Amino acid sequence: IGGGYLPRAKFQTLTEQMFYILLCLKNECYGMDIMDKVPAMTDGRVHVGSGTLYNLLEQFLEADMIRQTKEEGRKRSYILTQKGLETLENEYKRLQNQVADYEKLFL
C-alpha cells in the first residue's frame, strides 16, 4: 500500500451508535428494544434507525462480538460475547484517553 497508509481495522474504533448498541447488549436484548434504549440512555442525543441497527447487528454477529440468544418469529435477541465486551472496553479506554488529553490542555 503506497504512502504507508493502512486501512483502519474494522471496529478498532466505534461510532457512537456502535458503542451504544454494544452497551445495550451487556444484557440480553431484542433488536427492537435497542432503538428505544439508546435514546433513553443518551437523553435523546443518539438515535439508531432500524436500517442502521440491523446492519450493525449483522456485522457484529459476523465479527463474533455478539451472539443470538433467541428467535421468536421475526424477533431476535442478542447478547455480547467476550470479544464484544473487550471491544467495548477498548473503546471506553480510548475515550478516557481522549478526555485526559483534553484535560491536560484545557483544565
Side-chain angles (χ1 to χ4, degrees):
I1 298 174
Y5 172 77
L6 291 173
R8 185 177 66 169
K10 193 168 192 178
F11 304 130
Q12 184 180 343
T13 59
L14 301 177
T15 65
E16 275 189 311
Q17 291 172 324
M18 290 174 178
F19 182 81
Y20 285 108
I21 290 169
L22 291 176
L23 208 53
C24 287
L25 293 173
K26 177 184 182 282
N27 299 309
E28 184 179 11
C29 189
Y30 285 103
M32 288 298 290
D33 294 333
I34 294 169
M35 290 193 303
D36 296 328
K37 286 183 174 201
V38 171
M41 74 171 57
T42 63
D43 292 325
R45 189 175 49 79
V46 179
H47 293 269
V48 181
S50 60
T52 299
L53 174 67
Y54 289 105
N55 185 329
L56 287 172
L57 288 173
E58 194 61 39
Q59 290 180 44
F60 290 151
L61 281 167
E62 289 172 11
D64 295 320
M65 292 167 60
I66 64 172
R67 66 180 173 82
Q68 187 176 311
T69 52
K70 284 186 209 153
E71 187 170 352
E72 300 165 11
R74 294 185 62 198
K75 274 181 89 172
R76 294 184 177 128
S77 63
Y78 306 92
I79 196 162
L80 273 183
T81 62
Q82 185 60 38
K83 183 177 178 184
L85 180 60
E86 289 167 7
T87 301
L88 200 51
E89 288 173 347
N90 288 339
E91 182 67 8
Y92 172 69
K93 289 173 188 165
R94 187 183 74 81
L95 293 170
Q96 282 185 311
N97 289 333
Q98 285 182 319
V99 169
D101 292 341
Y102 175 91
E103 289 174 347
K104 280 184 247 174
L105 287 172
F106 289 98
L107 302 182

